Amino acid sequence: MSFAMIFPGQGAQSVGMLKQLAETYPEVRDSFTEASDALGADLWKLSQEGPEEQLNRTEWTQPALLTAGVAVWRVWQGRGGPQPDLMAGHSLGEYAALVAAGSLAFDEAVKLVQFRGQAMQEAVPEGSGAMAAILGLDDDQVAEVCGKAADEEVVEPVNFNSPGQVVIAGHKGAVERAIAEAKAAGAKRAMPLPVSVPSHCRLMGSAAEAMAKRLADVAIEMPAVPVIHNFNVEVEHNASGIRDALVAQLNHPVRWVETIEAMQERGIQAVVEAGPGKVLCGLNRRIDRRMPAHPVMDPESLDKALEALSGENGSD
């Protein structure tokens, strides 16, 4: 069976993540040791003991989650898991996909995403930006809500996560007005998200510029497994295209629904989510519940995913 490996982004982190997997598979601790050496900080201790407030700061969330995704991928490989036909990651997860596909060196990627987090935080003064999740409106309705709420400030749809689930971002006041507009338009829920950075909107322009300069010095190889990018829902075929997609990702929406649909058009029949939690598996059920989605975050879920895919392969 043709399947894709997908990697979650910010929001999937939690104190104690991958603890059970690490107790069974040394690849997890080895990956965190490698990342810690690259950063000069104990990333495993932070991910296991917190404090949660520091783990949730984007400059630390990003390397911790990247490492978690890569660690799960290495465990998958160590167990002899089948090679995916495609890869993708949600926002930050795209970097984990590129490491897993052999496009980015892991130690370089760890430093790169910490820089990304710092650039994002510096782009907008803390407290002046916001994000919110809008549930129960379609994409056009969310865009209309943002248009009404903008009032010379920025607020726009930035994560098209699943039908009826869109995340918006921008100036804090505009996001708050958009929440009120969304409720008035009949949204089931419209709630602020606990983040300090309004990701993927126009306010990230300076962060995108900083990343463009930083990425110019990073070695990028062609992925051994094709990676679909958030920005254009395309597979890039040269290093400059990959760089451009990573830069544009910062201040353009994450087109996740289209990413899953593009996978299906390419013959993908199932997805495996590599990383803590099962956020993307939950989105997958809303996008197309006929497509099996297997989380891998602990020994039990790993065994289930391997068994499901080997069983499905055997029945083809």
Side-chain angles (χ1 to χ4, degrees), residues 158-169:
V158 295
N159 291 355
F160 296 96
N161 285 336
S162 67
Q165 185 185 129
V166 179
V167 173
I168 62 174

Side-chain angles (χ1 to χ4, degrees), residues 187-209:
K188 290 178 184 174
R189 294 180 73 186
M191 52 199 174
L193 298 177
V195 297
S196 57
V197 174
S199 304
H200 303 294
C201 74
R202 280 177 287 155
L203 299 181
M204 289 291 111
S206 64
E209 290 173 13

Side-chain angles (χ1 to χ4, degrees), residues 8-10 61-62 65-66 90-96 113 116 249:
Q10 291 192 83
T61 307
Q62 296 202 32
L65 273 178
L66 168 76
H90 190 288
S91 187
L92 165 72
E94 191 166 295
Y95 287 81
V113 298
R116 180 179 183 264
Q249 185 213 64

Side-chain angles (χ1 to χ4, degrees), residues 111-122:
K111 291 181 281 190
L112 187 61
V113 298
Q114 184 174 59
F115 176 87
R116 180 179 183 264
Q118 292 165 341
M120 291 168 70
Q121 191 66 70
E122 289 167 7

